[in-house]
Amino acid sequence: MKKLMLPVFAALVAMALVIPALAAEGGQKGGEAQNISGKIAQVDLATNTVTIQMSDGQLASVQIDSSTQVTVGGKKASAADLKDGQSVNVRVKGGKAVSIDA
């Protein structure tokens, strides 16, 4: 019985150390990146969110920050340059806009 308990205990300890590390790594990556296309419904600089109305009518809100790359007409821009009604392609990872092309 003691011979069986040691390997089982060692396996449990190893899992207890590995699983949180993998979870933290996944949290940093933020999951798979997604593309959202549609028209800007609202830009809220106070809450750092952009809301996009997709072609099916659904709304998607994404967080923006200083690392979000924004282009308008192919030129580097800022979130303040985004306007309601503009067509956009947004690359989102983990709920945050990585890039916005208007």
Side-chain angles (χ1 to χ4, degrees):
M1 180 77 160
K2 286 184 180 180
K3 289 182 182 180
L4 179 62
M5 293 300 286
L6 185 58
V8 170
F9 181 75
L12 288 173
V13 169
M15 287 183 355
L17 295 174
V18 171
I19 290 173
L22 290 175
E25 181 179 307
Q28 289 175 347
K29 290 182 181 176
E32 293 287 320
Q34 298 176 335
N35 291 317
I36 298 174
S37 295
K39 292 189 182 247
I40 295 177
Q42 182 180 26
V43 178
D44 189 339
L45 298 177
T47 61
N48 292 323
T49 58
V50 176
T51 303
I52 298 104
Q53 183 171 16
M54 298 177 285
S55 60
D56 63 3
Q58 290 187 346
L59 297 175
S61 291
V62 294
Q63 292 292 110
I64 56 173
D65 63 19
S66 61
S67 68
T68 302
Q69 297 177 349
V70 178
T71 57
V72 176
K75 295 182 181 179
K76 188 174 179 176
S78 71
D81 298 316
L82 299 172
K83 305 295 179 214
D84 293 358
Q86 278 180 316
S87 293
V88 290
N89 292 312
V90 182
R91 186 136 177 94
V92 180
K93 189 169 184 179
K96 181 193 158 305
V98 176
S99 64
I100 301 175
D101 299 313

